[in-house]
Amino acid sequence: MQVIDHLANIKDAGEGTAVALGNFDGVHLGHRDIFRTLVRRARELGVRSLVYTFDPHPLKVLAPERAPLLLNTAEEKVRLIAASNIDILACIPFSVALASCEAEDFVRDVLVGQLHIRALVIGYDFAFGRDRRGTGDFLRAQGEIYGFSVDVLQPVGMDGQPYSSSRVRELLAEGRVEAIPSLLGRHYTLAGKVVGGEKRGRTLGFPTANISTEKEQLPAAGVYAVIVRHKNTDYQGLVNIGCRPTYGPGATTIEVYLLDFSGDIYADELRLYFVARLREEKIFADSDALIAAIRQDVALGRELLKDAKIIQYQEYLSEDNTCAR
C-alpha cells in the first residue's frame, strides 16, 4: 500500500480511483465494510482503491476540548487499513483552512481534478466541508454531474447497535474489553516499551514491567487478563492500569506481569491483547492483603487465559489471508 501525506505524491491516479472518505478511527467492523465495498468497486472498474483520511483528527484542530482519545496510533491505523487490501492511503494534514473548504470545491478540485474519481464510498453519517454541507445527498448529486458513482453504506452492527468508535470508547471506559472483538473484529491492543519503574512488584514476589505507550485510549483502571507478545512469542499475563492507590495517589501506569516468564525485557517492546477484566482498582490495607489479591488475580487469569487465542484482524477479500495485529 502506498501511503502519502500530500496528493502531489500520488502515483498512477490518472486512470481513475475509487475513493473512501472518512476519519476511520478504530478501523471497526463498519469501516471494514466500507473498505470491502471500496475494493470491490475498484476491481469492477479496474482502478486503484484509495482511502482519504486526516491527521490529526479534525476535532483536535477545530474543538480540542471535544476531541476523542484515538483508538489507534497512527502506525496501527496504517497497518489495519493496509490489511484491507487498499492500494493507496492518503493521510492528509488537517487544518482550519481545509475545514473551511467549500464542499463543491473539494469535489471539483480534489476528487475529480486530482484523484480522477470513478466511485465514492462513504458511511451513512459522513459529512465534510464548510458547515458540513458535503453529505451523502450532496455527493450523489455531484456524482451525477461529474460521472462517478456514490455508495452511502447504511449502518451495520449487531443487537440493534451500529458499529461505532464511540461505542468502543464507551466499552473501554467501562472496562468491558471482552465485548470489544464483536465491534473491532479483533482484541483491543496496545504496544509500548518497557521502562524503569519503582520495582515494588519485585518486593511483593510479582515482578512487573512498566509500559510506556503512545496509545491514547486506555481501558478503565483495573486488572486485566492479557496475552502479551514479546519478540514473536506469546505469554499469558496480567496488567494493572491505574495509579496504584494503595501507595498513595500518582500518575496512571501500565504494569504487566508475565506468567511463567523470567528474563530481562527492559527497553524491549511488548504488545498487549486485552482478553478480560478481572477487577477494578482497589486500595488494600497493607502489602499482605495486596499479595493475597494478586494471587487470586493470577489464579483467575490463568483460568480465563488457558484456552484464549488472539483474535486478529482478518480481511476476507485477501487472497493470501492477510492479517494485521
Side-chain angles (χ1 to χ4, degrees):
M1 182 178 75
Q2 181 189 4
V3 182
I4 59 174
D5 60 6
H6 194 286
L7 293 183
N9 299 325
I10 196 170
K11 299 177 182 177
D12 303 325
E15 296 182 1
T17 59
V19 179
L21 293 173
N23 292 314
F24 305 119
D25 176 36
V27 192
H28 55 62
L29 291 174
H31 296 149
R32 290 170 61 179
D33 194 43
I34 290 174
F35 298 153
R36 276 193 289 271
T37 302
L38 175 67
V39 171
R40 186 163 60 248
R41 290 285 178 267
R43 290 177 177 177
E44 290 169 354
L45 294 168
V47 298
R48 305 189 79 192
S49 58
L50 184 148
V51 171
Y52 189 109
T53 188
F54 307 100
D55 182 42
H57 190 286
L59 283 178
K60 289 184 180 291
V61 175
L62 301 176
E65 71 283 356
R66 294 193 291 113
L69 296 176
L70 299 183
L71 298 171
N72 293 125
T73 65
E75 178 188 12
E76 288 171 340
K77 184 175 180 178
V78 169
R79 288 192 293 111
L80 289 166
I81 292 176
S84 286
N85 296 317
I86 302 301
D87 295 316
I88 305 167
L89 172 60
C91 196
I92 304 302
F94 190 81
S95 64
V96 173
L98 183 60
S100 63
C101 176
E102 296 291 349
E104 292 88 350
D105 295 341
F106 182 83
V107 172
R108 183 190 64 242
D109 299 337
V110 177
L111 295 183
V112 176
Q114 293 181 276
L115 299 181
H116 307 285
I117 188 171
R118 299 277 303 282
L120 178 66
V121 183
I122 60 172
Y124 69 98
D125 56 351
F126 179 77
F128 70 96
R130 183 193 293 272
D131 300 324
R132 294 178 60 81
R133 290 188 56 244
T135 62
D137 288 342
F138 166 84
L139 288 165
R140 285 193 177 105
Q142 292 290 296
E144 291 289 333
I145 295 171
Y146 291 106
F148 60 86
S149 66
V150 179
D151 286 292
V152 180
L153 299 194
Q154 295 307 303
V156 293
M158 58 184 299
D159 300 328
Q161 294 268 352
Y163 299 124
S164 75
S165 300
S166 296
R167 180 58 180 155
V168 174
R169 276 188 279 271
E170 289 173 3
L171 291 172
L172 289 170
E174 297 167 1
R176 296 174 56 192
V177 296
E178 66 280 356
I180 299 299
S182 66
L183 297 176
L184 293 184
R186 63 189 187 276
H187 280 117
Y188 197 66
T189 179
L190 68 82
K193 183 172 289 189
V194 179
V195 297
E198 297 180 6
K199 298 183 172 57
R200 281 203 184 98
R202 296 182 184 278
T203 66
L204 300 173
F206 299 94
T208 59
N210 286 265
I211 305 296
S212 174
T213 183
E214 294 182 3
K215 180 78 86 171
E216 291 185 8
Q217 181 70 69
L218 301 179
V223 179
Y224 296 84
V226 294
I227 298 175
V228 182
R229 178 155 294 161
H230 174 244
K231 295 183 177 179
N232 296 318
T233 300
D234 295 339
Y235 300 92
Q236 296 179 354
L238 305 180
V239 61
N240 183 86
I241 298 177
C243 59
R244 299 171 296 182
T246 299
Y247 297 99
T252 297
T253 61
I254 304 170
E255 294 181 292
V256 184
Y257 174 56
L258 299 181
L259 306 181
D260 307 315
F261 174 87
S262 63
D264 182 8
I265 56 175
Y266 180 75
D268 289 351
E269 182 169 289
L270 303 180
R271 180 167 287 278
L272 281 55
Y273 299 86
F274 289 83
V275 176
R277 193 187 196 201
L278 304 185
R279 61 173 172 84
E280 63 185 12
E281 193 172 40
K282 298 180 180 178
I283 298 176
F284 295 95
D286 51 36
S287 294
D288 289 341
L290 175 56
I291 290 170
I294 295 174
R295 286 174 177 161
Q296 290 180 346
D297 294 338
V298 169
L300 179 56
R302 286 189 187 278
E303 181 65 23
L304 290 172
L305 292 168
K306 66 179 181 181
D307 297 318
K309 291 181 172 57
I310 295 172
I311 301 174
Q312 303 174 91
Y313 182 109
Q314 298 245 340
E315 177 48 56
Y316 304 114
L317 284 176
S318 175
E319 297 177 358
D320 58 0
N321 205 28
T322 300
C323 301
R325 299 176 183 176

